[in-house]
Amino acid sequence: MSWLLGILALAVLALVAGLILGFAAIRFRVESDPIVEQIDNLLPQTQCGQCGYPGCRPYAEAIANGDEINKCPPGGQATIDKLADLLGREAKPLDAAHGEEDVKKVAVIREDECIGCTKCIQACPVDAILGAARQMHTVIADECTGCDLCVEPCPVDCIDMVAVAVKPERWKWNLDQIPIQDITASSEHSNSEDKQVQTQ
Amino acid sequence: MSFFIASSPHNHQKRTTSRLMQLVLLAMVPGVLAQFYFFGWGIVWQLLIAGFTAVCAESLCLIARERSPLRGLQDYSALVTAALLAVSIPPLAPWWVIVIGTIFAIVVVKHLFGGIGHNIFNPAMAAYVLLLISFPVQMTSWLPPVTLSGESIGWWDSLRLILVQYTSAGYSVDQVRAVATGQLFDAVVMATPLDQIKTDLAQGLTLSESLSKPIFGAFAGHGWLWVNVAYLFGGLMLLQQRIIQWHIPAALLGALAVAAIIGSLAAPDALPGLNIHLFSGGTMLAAFFIATDPVSAATSNRGKLIYAALVGVLIYVIRSFGGYPDAIAFAVLLANLCVPVIDQYTRPTAYGQAGGQR
Amino acid sequence: MIEITATSPLHHFPGGIHPPEQKALANQTPIQRLPLAPMLYIPLRQHSGPAGELCVQVGDHVLKGQALTQPGVDNGLPVHASTSGTIVAIQDHPLNHPSGFSGPTAYLQPDGAEQWIERQPIDDLSRLSHREILMHLQLMGIAGLGGAGFPTARKVAGAQGIDLLIINGVECEPYIVADDRLMREHAAEIVRGSQLLQTITAAKQVVIAVEDNKPEAIAAFETVLAADANVTNTMILRVVPTRYPSGGEKQLIQVLTGLQVPADQLPADIGILVQNVGTAFAVARAIDHGEPLIERVVTITGQALSKPGTAWIPLGTPIDHILSVSGFQPANKQRVIIGGPMMGYTIASLQVPVIKTTNCILAPSAKELAPPEHEMACIRCGACEQVCPASLLPQQLQWLAKAKDYDGLKQHHLADCIECGACAYVCPSEIPLVQYYRQAKAEIREQLIEQQKSEIARQRFEARQARLEREKEERLEKHRKAAEARKAAQAARADSGEEDPVKAALARVKAKKAAQQAAEPASESTDAPADDKKAQVAAAVARAKARKAEREAALAQADDQQKADDDKKAQVAAAVARAKARKAERDAAAQQEKQEDGESS
């Protein structure tokens, strides 16, 4: 008899606890972005396809469905760490099969060589190339994600990926990277290597 | 010849960690001298053994952690830990007591937690607790003050007692203690004044009966009063040199004093008063040298006040109602545990975060 | 409403330090004039905010005070020729910036004539509209001379009808005495500039704040203020106790008013504007004399100099010129600091010019400012927290910065850190705290920029996907409609009994095909005009390929040239490469010929 009572008591307890938990789940529900949105927010949005998916969102969906998190070279280790943190998975090193982490780049069209074929315009995932058929094309540098996708289709090979120059106001205080000059050498006014900037 | 690139500020106060620690060691000198005067050569040997062990343990840890031992030793923090532990244990405790304690403090409490600055517990106090619960006999075998027993043990016999537990004449520590205490108390186990009160109260004596025993002077424990005064003096030196801020000693002593006054008003015959609490145990050492360890204490001024008051109250509670006569180590460790919470809730309001008004 | 009287109590900001002042080194002598440098390097951007647009060319002769840039589309702050001379180059030159980067700079070779451009002083402010006055300040290139060099016109424009204008003569940083000397020698003009600023902003009250370690400057102001009775009604002098960093904008506001500027607001939002005494002086010169900002007082100090002092330095003067006339005796590992010892930065090249924000050049000996020692572990001593003027937890920030916990840093209000360096100054472990904060701030800023960029990229990507989808659907829709229309037409024709156009068309095609097969050789010529374009493109493609091959060949050649022992191999390889390139060219030419053949036939 007593064991029956025990089971009954436990069952009632479980029921009550379940009800409380269920109520709490509805009452105190925290609205959060769906997991795909959260993953997509962490990806760099270069839309480069180096992960093997046609853009960042498809890769986010793939990750949500269990794909590896280390296939994004533009995001690099920082993105992998964040994804690992979000998903509670192990942070792996970047999968070299998909490329390596590189400095930020931007596409530049050598405009006098452009034949106006519009192939790069079709390739650009973020519509950052301006131009029309048989007209010269140019890259809107601010919108370019550096994804590299326009380089391949160009029939005349006139697109360069140029490393983005760091401006003083976006310098990251890497004091150790400042080249140390010799005092004796610096007294000469030599600027021969400096590039001529455009005058108006 | 080349230019030197450096980050601002280019100016520095040049009061380095090593300097701070050296000054702390210096400020301990009066207290150590007082202990030497009242308890003999033991303290000197203990300090030497502890110091040597600490330097070795620190070096080995640093080498194991692939850091430069020379640079690591320069901060003197290991020596401070060793000194604090050495002055806390009975002067004639066997050598392995202090060695085990020091190694535990340096290796486990300090380096296993990440080295200097990362330990959550005060190393000396954690080691003290380890020793106290592991070797209760050795850790409570204090001799009566030399000035009281008249039995002074020479430097050679002290060293022999510590190393091989026998004097050159063949007496053991217990025998020496028996001789020293026998002249006074009919072979009653001799302890610290606080221990004495605890034992007496447990045996049904009243407080005043206990305080009339010779181990107590007119004001506080014989000898211990002067040890405490000496540490108070050293502590005031630290304050004057701005090595420590006033917050921790003031809050600790204040809280202990308030608790003692309330206690002795409530039960004058069962709870010892202010004078005993402040000047008979390790109170001054705790207030100025132990609780002020910056690594394991709270950081903000408000946090320090709360932290130190907690230590003070815990000391009183454990001394009065707990099983141990003195309670510095337990109180400090318990308060160490509370530091993250205290820090979390005593964060100062940053500039401009208070809605534009003060 | 904030109101300050000569007796209203001063307040305290938390923390603060008293580093050795070292001001006597340079403040004993009057402001001098140094010989003109043989070449001035005038960076086109010398202040926070966008640069102006260049309006001179290489070879132009410019007059003293002539604008080299104009506001342009970004409303940048112009820079001016500091003396008359010739623009010999406009090119990248080391910038006066901690990064040591180079940036566009005008090289001005002085002719020594010091010939001024025609100056246009404003006699009567009331004749001009508020907008015109601000434009004048903008065109005169006035920027804040105390701190980051924010364009004064903009700062003033955002602070209209304020309660309190604070003229900051505190100059709390050790060594720097530029403002001190300026106040001693030109108190009247500073007061004049303050009045002008008061008029422009319609500020109800002006307070000139000076630290109590500058008795001469205080006396100078007292004399000027006492002499002018109608000034004293709205303008008072307050002496504040010496404590670093009381000259910080936010700290000075707190000392004078007891108010704190809310974290995400500007002083103007609580009715206060702070301007440096040097700025007030420059405003007075710009309005009363029509002089643009082309020179400033610079403190030249430090024990590595035998002749420290202060001087009027034309903007663009290279540091090495100033140091060499001041008796610079560099030691090994010499530091040359722009600014003071607390917040200044070291420079890697002495070619760096003096710009609008350069208030001090400090060349210390290793003895007076000991070089930083090895960083030790934080012992949580809390000394940094005691001195932080922003009531932050510097040690906590340090842990978080080292752990790259940027969210934690934001929660601990890293953004409110003014980088005054007080924490690092007192740190017994010599942790370069400020450096950690700067790097973390830069990283947070960079992440924010990247986040914004990626958000835009996402939107553009999605917009493009939507567009492609839409176009696809439109195309399908069009096809569907066309098919429907065809069907309808067919049905209509079937009804009317006309000949089926599809069948007719098919018949026509068949007929055409037969005709074509008959006249095969001639077929190409009929398509010639269309092929013309194709041929050109193909030719371009071929040319590009050829060029690529050529480049590769050249590369291979260059590579191989380096290896002297492989000389022969290199030649062979080069020859092969050349042959390949030639072949590619030939191929291309052949193709073209073929095309042309087709055309001609």
Side-chain angles (χ1 to χ4, degrees):
Chain A
M1 195 60 208
S2 60
W3 58 270
L4 204 73
L5 209 68
I7 289 178
L8 206 72
L10 277 180
V12 171
L13 216 74
L15 196 73
V16 171
L19 282 175
I20 293 173
L21 282 177
F23 173 73
I26 297 164
R27 178 70 183 76
F28 303 109
R29 185 185 178 84
V30 180
E31 287 295 339
S32 66
D33 285 345
I35 192 74
V36 175
E37 288 292 333
Q38 291 183 45
I39 297 171
D40 196 28
N41 278 332
L42 293 179
L43 294 174
Q45 305 299 329
T46 43
Q47 318 294 355
C48 62
Q50 278 172 276
C51 51
Y53 296 93
C56 291
R57 195 170 173 92
Y59 182 42
E61 281 159 12
I63 292 177
N65 291 328
D67 198 3
E68 292 292 349
I69 56 173
N70 60 349
K71 295 184 176 177
C72 179
Q77 196 61 41
T79 298
I80 295 173
D81 290 345
K82 281 187 204 155
L83 286 171
D85 197 36
L86 172 71
L87 302 168
R89 296 197 208 163
E90 199 189 338
K92 296 175 180 168
L94 185 66
D95 188 349
H98 293 273
E100 277 166 19
E101 213 171 331
D102 204 355
V103 290
K104 285 249 164 280
K105 286 187 173 169
V106 65
V108 175
I109 295 177
R110 288 197 301 276
E111 290 166 353
D112 49 343
E113 293 173 31
C114 174
I115 55 168
C117 69
T118 74
K119 282 192 173 134
C120 55
I121 295 180
Q122 288 157 33
C124 180
V126 292
D127 278 348
I129 303 181
L130 209 62
R134 278 176 232 101
Q135 307 291 325
M136 180 197 83
H137 305 341
T138 194
V139 176
I140 310 169
D142 279 350
E143 312 289 5
C144 176
T145 63
C147 69
D148 213 15
L149 291 180
C150 52
V151 175
E152 192 55 42
C154 180
V156 294
D157 205 16
C158 73
I159 303 181
D160 295 319
M161 296 306 295
V162 179
V164 183
V166 186
K167 293 180 194 156
E169 59 268 32
R170 282 181 71 175
W171 178 58
K172 291 191 191 171
W173 285 93
N174 302 319
L175 290 175
D176 296 338
Q177 290 175 6
I178 299 175
I180 303 291
Q181 288 193 6
D182 225 23
I183 291 183
T184 39
S186 70
S187 59
E188 285 169 44
H189 295 226
S190 62
N191 286 286
S192 52
E193 284 174 1
D194 291 338
K195 272 183 275 175
Q196 190 92 14
V197 297
Q198 284 186 330
T199 54
Q200 256 194 333
Chain B
M1 200 156 61
S2 63
F3 283 122
F4 188 67
I5 306 290
S7 161
S8 73
H10 308 282
N11 204 355
H12 194 267
Q13 201 174 28
K14 291 296 168 203
R15 172 168 259 179
T16 57
T17 305
S18 351
R19 186 92 192 102
L20 293 183
M21 296 288 179
Q22 283 167 9
L23 285 170
V24 170
L25 285 174
L26 199 67
M28 285 178 73
V29 168
V32 171
L33 283 180
Q35 273 181 291
F36 172 70
Y37 178 75
F38 288 106
F39 299 101
W41 279 95
I43 180 87
V44 178
W45 297 122
Q46 299 286 5
L47 277 172
L48 288 178
I49 299 171
F52 178 74
T53 314
V55 169
C56 292
E58 178 92 358
S59 311
L60 289 176
C61 281
L62 288 168
I63 290 169
R65 295 177 62 208
E66 295 176 355
R67 318 262 159 115
S68 155
L70 276 180
R71 193 170 270 164
L73 283 171
Q74 266 172 11
D75 62 30
Y76 284 81
S77 63
L79 282 180
V80 170
T81 298
L84 287 175
L85 186 59
V87 300
S88 305
I89 70 167
L92 292 182
W95 60 271
W96 42 266
V97 170
I98 188 72
V99 168
I100 290 174
T102 311
I103 291 176
F104 179 76
I106 301 290
V107 177
V108 177
V109 187
K110 189 169 153 191
H111 280 288
L112 287 192
F113 279 83
I116 183 169
H118 295 265
N119 47 304
I120 47 177
F121 295 111
N122 184 316
M125 289 304 102
Y128 182 86
V129 166
L130 172 90
L131 297 176
L132 188 62
I133 58 180
S134 306
F135 316 112
V137 177
Q138 286 83 354
M139 284 298 285
T140 49
S141 302
W142 285 79
L143 284 179
V146 176
T147 46
L148 209 57
S149 64
E151 282 288 318
S152 83
I153 304 163
W155 62 271
W156 176 240
D157 276 348
S158 300
L159 183 59
R160 282 186 61 95
L161 278 171
I162 290 170
L163 291 183
V164 296
Q165 282 83 54
Y166 289 99
T167 63
S168 47
Y171 292 114
S172 73
V173 178
D174 284 341
Q175 283 166 321
V176 170
R177 294 180 72 215
V179 170
T181 52
Q183 293 171 342
L184 291 164
F185 314 109
D186 309 316
V188 172
V189 172
M190 175 57 200
T192 62
L194 290 172
D195 210 354
Q196 187 73 44
I197 292 174
K198 188 133 238 149
T199 316
D200 288 348
L201 289 176
Q203 287 173 349
L205 275 73
T206 64
L207 185 64
S208 45
E209 281 169 330
S210 178
L211 289 181
S212 64
K213 295 199 168 176
I215 189 169
F216 291 101
F219 182 68
H222 184 98
W224 289 92
L225 169 65
W226 293 108
V227 171
N228 271 295
V229 168
Y231 279 121
L232 173 62
F233 175 72
L236 292 177
M237 264 167 53
L238 288 183
L239 270 182
Q240 193 263 330
Q241 289 290 314
R242 293 172 182 265
I243 308 292
I244 57 175
Q245 267 97 36
W246 58 270
H247 304 85
I248 287 182
L252 195 158
L253 296 176
L256 184 57
V258 168
I261 290 169
I262 293 171
S264 61
L265 284 178
D269 231 25
L271 297 171
L274 188 59
N275 47 344
I276 301 294
H277 272 295
L278 292 189
F279 291 101
S280 287
T283 310
M284 290 302 162
L285 182 68
F288 290 96
F289 293 89
I290 294 172
T292 50
D293 166 37
V295 179
S296 53
T299 50
S300 68
N301 287 344
R302 258 193 321 149
K304 280 176 182 158
L305 290 175
I306 295 171
Y307 163 81
L310 184 65
V311 175
V313 170
L314 282 171
I315 289 176
Y316 183 80
V317 169
I318 299 174
R319 274 182 184 174
S320 304
F321 311 108
Y324 288 93
D326 207 345
I328 309 287
F330 293 104
V332 167
L333 292 190
L334 286 172
N336 285 166
L337 276 178
C338 302
V339 161
V341 179
I342 296 173
D343 278 349
Q344 174 70 29
Y345 289 102
T346 55
R347 255 161 59 180
T349 313
Y351 182 100
Q353 297 293 341
Q357 302 293 322
R358 280 232 267 200
Chain C
M1 173 75 203
I2 309 159
E3 203 176 337
I4 291 181
T5 63
T7 53
S8 59
L10 291 173
H11 304 261
H12 284 287
F13 61 89
I17 51 173
H18 293 97
E21 288 176 13
Q22 304 279 19
K23 298 206 183 226
L25 217 56
N27 72 358
Q28 302 302 316
T29 50
I31 308 174
Q32 354 156 29
R33 292 221 170 252
L34 303 181
L36 203 56
M39 182 76 82
L40 299 184
Y41 306 94
I42 303 171
L44 303 186
R45 183 167 173 270
Q46 307 186 9
H47 42 77
S48 48
E53 274 172 19
L54 199 62
C55 54
V56 291
Q57 286 181 3
V58 175
D60 283 3
H61 185 264
V62 292
L63 298 176
K64 186 174 184 177
Q66 183 178 339
L68 303 182
T69 60
Q70 56 198 16
V73 284
D74 293 330
N75 196 21
L77 195 65
V79 294
H80 301 80
S82 309
T83 183
S84 57
T86 313
I87 303 289
V88 293
I90 296 168
Q91 63 186 35
D92 277 3
H93 185 82
L95 291 174
N96 191 334
H97 187 270
S99 64
F101 287 167
S102 294
T105 302
Y107 285 36
L108 172 62
Q109 190 165 37
D111 58 9
E114 298 278 341
Q115 192 186 353
W116 269 97
I117 195 169
E118 191 194 341
R119 280 162 282 182
Q120 289 167 326
I122 301 175
D123 307 323
D124 184 5
L125 273 187
S126 57
R127 279 196 297 109
L128 293 180
S129 74
H130 184 251
R131 213 183 134 74
E132 283 168 330
I133 299 170
L134 292 183
M135 198 61 214
H136 181 75
L137 289 182
Q138 180 83 359
L139 287 175
M140 291 294 107
I142 311 291
L145 296 184
F150 195 80
T152 302
R154 271 201 220 179
K155 196 168 174 181
V156 168
Q160 288 306 307
I162 47 165
D163 294 331
L164 179 62
L165 169 66
I166 299 174
I167 301 298
N168 185 349
V170 173
E171 201 170 53
C172 58
E173 178 127 2
Y175 285 94
I176 307 180
V177 293
D179 288 351
D180 185 9
R181 284 309 316 187
L182 188 73
M183 289 188 286
R184 291 190 203 188
E185 297 176 28
H186 300 278
E189 284 190 278
I190 293 170
V191 169
R192 168 68 186 151
S194 309
Q195 284 174 307
L196 290 168
L197 281 169
Q198 184 181 16
T199 313
I200 297 168
T201 57
K204 297 182 185 69
Q205 195 185 11
V206 182
V207 173
I208 300 175
V210 185
E211 229 174 23
D212 60 9
N213 60 357
K214 302 177 187 64
E216 297 87 351
I218 295 166
F221 274 128
E222 275 168 351
T223 317
V224 171
L225 290 178
D228 196 348
N230 56 3
V231 167
T232 38
N233 295 330
T234 55
M235 193 181 292
I236 56 167
L237 175 73
R238 288 309 310 258
V239 179
V240 302
T242 300
R243 184 158 57 126
Y244 181 84
S246 56
E249 185 175 75
K250 291 173 167 182
Q251 279 63 40
L252 185 56
I253 288 172
Q254 192 168 11
V255 167
L256 290 175
T257 66
L259 297 174
Q260 292 188 347
V261 184
D264 42 3
Q265 294 184 21
L266 295 170
D269 296 328
I270 57 168
I272 299 174
L273 175 70
V274 183
Q275 287 290 355
N276 178 266
V277 286
T279 317
F281 179 82
V283 167
R285 298 301 296 181
I287 290 180
D288 289 347
H289 303 275
E291 283 177 15
L293 183 56
I294 54 169
E295 62 177 8
R296 66 158 298 148
V297 184
V298 177
T299 317
I300 305 152
T301 186
Q303 287 179 2
L305 301 175
S306 60
K307 288 181 279 181
T310 48
W312 286 104
I313 304 288
L315 301 182
T317 306
I319 305 287
D320 66 348
H321 172 76
I322 300 168
L323 289 181
S324 62
V325 299
S326 303
F328 183 40
Q329 294 135 353
N332 195 24
K333 290 212 156 191
Q334 176 69 46
R335 279 172 295 176
V336 176
I337 299 164
I338 302 296
M342 299 302 294
M343 292 183 73
Y345 49 87
T346 51
I347 48 171
S349 161
L350 287 187
Q351 289 306 300
V352 157
V354 165
I355 57 171
K356 290 175 183 176
T357 54
T358 312
N359 55 2
C360 180
I361 303 165
L362 171 58
S365 67
K367 207 186 284 171
E368 58 177 329
L369 292 184
E373 276 169 44
H374 182 74
E375 174 187 349
M376 298 212 280
C378 169
I379 55 164
R380 291 171 40 102
C381 67
C384 48
E385 196 186 325
Q386 308 285 338
V387 299
C388 179
S391 300
L392 301 172
L393 295 174
Q395 50 170 329
Q396 207 62 36
L397 291 172
Q398 173 243 170
W399 295 117
L400 294 168
K402 281 181 177 169
K404 302 198 185 301
D405 179 358
Y406 299 119
D407 291 332
L409 285 169
K410 280 180 215 157
Q411 275 171 22
H412 281 79
H413 309 295
L414 175 66
D416 293 325
C417 168
I418 58 167
E419 299 174 21
C420 68
C423 50
Y425 175 76
V426 297
C427 178
S429 296
E430 300 215 21
I431 302 171
L433 293 157
V434 180
Q435 175 67 8
Y436 283 116
Y437 305 153
R438 283 194 192 119
Q439 286 182 333
K441 277 181 176 177
E443 199 55 55
I444 289 172
R445 184 193 59 214
E446 198 63 16
Q447 280 187 358
L448 193 72
I449 294 173
E450 287 302 323
Q451 211 181 335
Q452 285 165 349
K453 266 199 89 167
S454 84
E455 185 52 42
I456 292 170
R458 190 210 324 278
Q459 284 169 7
R460 291 180 74 91
F461 178 66
E462 278 163 8
R464 178 187 154 90
Q465 296 297 96
R467 194 196 78 215
L468 293 179
E469 192 65 26
R470 200 175 57 236
E471 282 175 359
K472 195 171 150 199
E473 259 166 35
E474 276 169 7
R475 212 163 42 239
L476 287 176
E477 180 70 16
K478 215 162 75 189
H479 286 174
R480 198 176 55 77
K481 276 202 179 133
E484 266 173 20
R486 233 178 7 253
K487 248 183 207 154
Q490 206 173 358
R493 262 193 300 275
D495 286 348
S496 59
E498 274 179 43
E499 192 194 355
D500 189 341
V502 177
K503 275 180 192 162
L506 279 175
R508 273 202 302 278
V509 167
K510 264 183 194 160
K512 203 174 175 186
K513 224 176 191 171
Q516 246 169 21
Q517 273 166 357
E520 180 70 78
S523 70
E524 276 183 56
S525 65
T526 53
D527 290 345
D531 274 359
D532 187 18
K533 270 270 143 58
K534 239 188 241 168
Q536 275 176 12
V537 169
V541 171
R543 267 200 306 277
K545 273 186 189 153
R547 232 189 344 261
K548 209 175 186 179
E550 239 171 329
R551 246 199 327 269
E552 272 163 21
L555 222 70
Q557 206 168 4
D559 256 351
D560 288 345
Q561 267 170 358
Q562 288 172 347
K563 303 173 201 156
D565 49 340
D566 275 356
D567 216 11
K568 232 181 199 151
K569 228 183 197 175
Q571 278 172 4
V572 173
V576 171
R578 269 199 302 277
K580 268 186 193 160
R582 257 203 305 280
K583 197 179 169 203
E585 248 171 320
R586 245 201 326 273
D587 283 355
Q591 214 170 342
Q592 211 164 353
E593 243 170 51
K594 203 171 145 199
Q595 297 290 354
E596 275 160 12
D597 270 1
E599 272 168 54
S600 59
S601 63

